[in-house]
């Protein structure tokens, strides 16, 4: 027999090339109940078709505008893979997209995921997708489909990557930010759970500098491993913010504090002739940020442009309604702080004017 040829009994299969169709089918069957548990008006969350269906009319919108967002988890996945802890990064995946929808006033309706790996490990993949389903549950949106791609040669060992896609809707006249954001408006902040899903390339470098492994106890979270503590999932602000939007007309703008921190995200929702005055001493910094700052002697400005530092969502609110909006958010379990106010911009100054110091400990 010539080199590279196979007889009829020994033909090369897809499995020989590194793709296990049976494992993929097993995973689909295991995640069907997870998706079904996220059902909401507009969908039955059935998996297995070529596309996910959603009935917008069933949601009761009158003049809806669709809003779409997509994102990943970034190098936080590296910590999950190296720690062997896969059950929370799916929450992060959902959070990063649905939090971007809510800042435009949109209610998240459905979500789709993309999971890519070199070799499909069914139990690990199921843990990841269970996290995605939990994130959808927290956001009130349906997991209506996704894609699992087994691609040998593209990823090493047990590495995998995630991408998520969310679609929401908002009544046309309720789209944020409002055009009337201006001087006198109050800036409220909603506390974060930690770094969320941003700055993890720097975080992983600082872990190297510290000499710790992810199995060591976290210096800032006694009783938890460093890997477990750094994998604390991103807060999903959807339900509390929707409750505040429906309970008051006071919210004029929202900003999701992701990569770029205060300095880059707040200006995205401000008119060019305004500045947000922010009192940094009011920011409730979780202990992880103090540990990161001390470990790498990171400057305050670098902290502010890399991490959320303790505030995951900013609300720009009409002054007369600020206390009512804060009350509505607190009633939904949010830790709300008053950070500052909107003022007129002077010349070409930056649109975030910080004062005070972060309480990094």
């Amino acid at each position: 027999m010539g080199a590279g040829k196979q007889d009829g009994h020994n033909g090369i299969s897809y499995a020989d090339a590194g793709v296990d169709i049976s494992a993929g089918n097993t995973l689909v069957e295991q995640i069907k109940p997870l998706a079904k548990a996220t059902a909401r008006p507009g969908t039955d969350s059935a998996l297995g078709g070529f596309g996910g269906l959603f009935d917008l009319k069933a949601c009761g919108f009158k003049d809806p505008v669709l809003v779409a967002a997509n994102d990943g988890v970034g190098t936080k996945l590296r910590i999950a893979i190296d720690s062997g802890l896969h059950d929370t990064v799916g929450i992060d995946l959902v959070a990063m997209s649905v939090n971007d929808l809510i800042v435009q006033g949109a209610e998240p309706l459905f979500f789709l995921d993309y999971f890519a790996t070199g070799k499909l490990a069914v139990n690990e993949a199921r843990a990841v997708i269970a996290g995605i389903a939990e994130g959808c549950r927290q956001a009130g949106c349906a997991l209506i489909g996704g894609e699992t791609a087994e691609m040998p040669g593209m990823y090493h060992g047990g590495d995998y990557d995630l991408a998520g896609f969310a679609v929401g809707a908002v009544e046309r006249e309720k789209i944020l930010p409002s055009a009337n954001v201006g001087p006198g408006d109050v800036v409220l902040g909603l506390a974060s759970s930690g770094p969320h899903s941003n700055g993890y390339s720097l975080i992983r470098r600082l872990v190297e500098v510290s000499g710790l492994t992810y199995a060591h106890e976290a210096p800032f979270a006694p009783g938890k491993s460093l890997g477990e503590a750094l994998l604390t999932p991103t807060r999903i602000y959807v339900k509390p913010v929707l409750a505040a939007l429906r309970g008051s007309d006071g919210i004029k703008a929202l900003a999701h504090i992701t990569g770029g921190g205060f300095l880059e995200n707040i200006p995205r929702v401000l008119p060019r002739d305004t500045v947000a005055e922010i009192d940094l001493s009011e920011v409730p910094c979780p202990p992880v940020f103090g540990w990161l700052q001390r470990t790498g002697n990171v400057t305050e400005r670098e902290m502010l442009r890399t991490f959320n530092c303790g505030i995951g969502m900013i609300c720009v609110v009409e002054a007369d309604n600020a206390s009512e909006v804060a009350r509505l958010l607190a009633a939904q379990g949010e830790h709300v702080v008053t950070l500052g106010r909107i003022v007129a911009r002077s010349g070409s100054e930056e649109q975030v004017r910080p004062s005070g110091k972060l309480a990094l400990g």
Side-chain angles (χ1 to χ4, degrees), residues 108-171:
L109 300 176
F110 59 87
F111 189 87
L112 299 97
D113 69 279
Y114 177 78
F115 179 100
T117 184
K119 179 65 177 176
L120 182 61
V122 172
N123 289 338
E124 288 183 3
R126 187 191 183 281
V128 171
I129 296 170
I132 294 172
E134 170 59 19
C136 288
R137 186 195 66 78
Q138 291 182 25
C141 65
L143 177 59
I144 67 170
E147 171 71 4
T148 301
E150 190 174 21
M151 300 189 292
M154 293 293 290
Y155 297 88
H156 298 288
D159 288 358
Y160 60 86
D161 199 9
L162 296 174
F165 310 85
V167 174
V170 56
E171 296 289 2

Side-chain angles (χ1 to χ4, degrees), residues 66-349:
L66 292 179
V67 184
N70 73 295
D71 211 332
V73 182
T75 60
K76 190 173 187 177
L77 285 181
R78 184 75 262 163
I79 298 178
I81 293 166
D82 291 347
S83 303
L85 302 172
H86 307 281
D87 55 342
T88 59
V89 288
I91 300 175
D92 291 297
L93 184 69
V94 175
M96 295 306 288
S97 285
V98 297
N99 285 342
D100 280 353
L101 295 185
I102 193 63
V103 300
Q104 295 185 267
E107 176 187 352
L109 300 176
F110 59 87
F111 189 87
L112 299 97
D113 69 279
Y114 177 78
F115 179 100
T117 184
K119 179 65 177 176
L120 182 61
V122 172
N123 289 338
E124 288 183 3
R126 187 191 183 281
V128 171
I129 296 170
I132 294 172
E134 170 59 19
C136 288
R137 186 195 66 78
Q138 291 182 25
C141 65
L143 177 59
I144 67 170
E147 171 71 4
T148 301
E150 190 174 21
M151 300 189 292
M154 293 293 290
Y155 297 88
H156 298 288
D159 288 358
Y160 60 86
D161 199 9
L162 296 174
F165 310 85
V167 174
V170 56
E171 296 289 2
R172 193 178 304 272
E173 74 276 9
K174 298 290 187 180
I175 295 173
L176 296 177
S178 299
N180 62 344
V181 172
D185 291 338
V186 173
V187 180
L188 303 178
L190 305 186
S192 71
S193 58
H196 287 180
S197 295
N198 298 104
Y200 274 82
S201 293
L202 176 56
I203 289 172
R204 292 186 302 111
R205 178 70 180 110
L206 294 175
V207 170
E208 291 177 8
V209 169
S210 75
L212 300 176
T213 70
Y214 296 125
H216 280 101
E217 183 176 65
F220 53 87
K224 290 186 176 182
S225 71
L226 183 57
E228 183 182 6
L230 290 175
L231 288 169
T232 299
T234 306
R235 282 192 62 80
I236 292 177
Y237 297 102
V238 170
K239 290 182 178 179
V241 171
L242 279 177
L245 288 169
R246 290 164 178 167
S248 170
D249 292 327
I251 296 178
K252 295 184 176 184
L254 297 158
H256 184 198
I257 306 304
T258 55
F262 288 171
L263 302 182
E264 295 184 15
N265 288 291
I266 297 177
R268 295 168 68 178
V269 299
L270 298 182
R272 293 183 63 83
D273 61 350
T274 62
V275 167
E277 289 187 333
I278 301 295
D279 183 355
L280 298 180
S281 66
E282 294 296 324
V283 175
C285 299
V288 59
F289 293 114
W291 180 76
L292 292 169
Q293 190 279 326
R294 293 188 297 273
T295 300
N297 194 28
V298 183
T299 67
E300 184 175 78
R301 183 171 178 85
E302 186 68 12
M303 293 292 293
L304 286 169
R305 66 190 297 268
T306 305
F307 302 115
N308 65 60
C309 293
I311 295 293
M313 185 71 71
I314 291 286
C315 307
V316 180
V317 184
E318 185 176 290
D320 290 345
N321 291 325
S323 59
E324 175 64 8
V325 171
R327 184 193 67 77
L328 289 168
L329 290 165
Q332 295 293 315
E334 292 300 320
H335 178 188
V336 187
V337 296
T338 300
L339 294 175
R341 61 193 181 114
I342 305 300
V343 299
R345 188 180 187 185
S346 176
S348 59
E349 69 171 315

